[in-house]
Amino acid sequence: MIYSREVEEMCPVAQGVHHGAAPIPEEAKWVQAKEVKDISGFTHGVGWCAPQQGACKLSLNIKEGIIQEALVETLGCSGMTHSAAMASEILPGLTVLEALNTDLVCDAINTAMRELFLQIVYGRSQSAFSEDGLPVGAGLEDLGKGLRSQVGTMYGTLKKGPRYLEMAEGYVTGIALDADDEIIGYQFVNLGKMTDFIKKGDDPNTAWEKAKGQYGRVADAVKIIDPRKE
């Protein structure tokens, strides 16, 4: 250790009371985190790329500093999906500190890692008060049945009004309108369920019909329009 002359010439003064790091909640325990291995928890982070044209939601399950599970969900350019594929291979097995300093290619994924790191080291995790934390696989459970990300896609113009394109239930095939041309419901097809039906042997038309559904007062609609064409 090298000290400047000014410091060398100073007399020592005791630092006094020092209680150490403030404890943070981790998996139903209060932990004074001093090393990377002291960090455990399941949490999420959201990031964005430099031109702010894409976003990433990153979910990590960390046990004793080591990433055991990674869920990478992206919205934006096609390159993000390929970067997400790389991140899903890179992240498991790294310490949370290694992951913070790993180039995950996409700005949005890197930013999500930074934001998630801040949350986890401050004890703001989804599993902060869950005894032994959440099991590995909790990320898949977040996706629900069909293991597909929930995506909402809406579009609107001043001249023609709103269009629902994708809801949590699935791909919107029709928007139900009342006599005042206001939206009162929508029809959809769950593409995840449709794919599963086809994998089980149904022909595409049968699978399409079985995966269809509706929400709202569709039965009361004066007309139903295709949001992508009408």
Side-chain angles (χ1 to χ4, degrees), residues 58-60 67-73 80-93 104 109:
L58 178 62
S59 304
L60 298 182
I67 297 171
Q68 302 292 333
E69 175 186 21
L71 171 64
V72 191
E73 300 173 90
M80 293 178 71
T81 62
H82 295 77
S83 297
M86 293 176 62
S88 70
E89 293 188 49
I90 292 170
L91 289 172
L104 300 172
I109 303 175

Side-chain angles (χ1 to χ4, degrees), residues 36-74:
V36 172
K37 65 181 179 61
D38 295 330
I39 300 298
S40 294
F42 179 87
T43 195
H44 316 278
V46 176
W48 53 94
C49 62
Q52 298 190 32
Q53 293 175 352
C56 168
K57 177 188 174 187
L58 178 62
S59 304
L60 298 182
N61 202 345
I62 301 162
K63 303 291 187 184
E64 297 180 350
I66 305 295
I67 297 171
Q68 302 292 333
E69 175 186 21
L71 171 64
V72 191
E73 300 173 90
T74 61

Side-chain angles (χ1 to χ4, degrees), residues 54 87 127 138 180 189:
S127 58
D180 297 319
V189 61

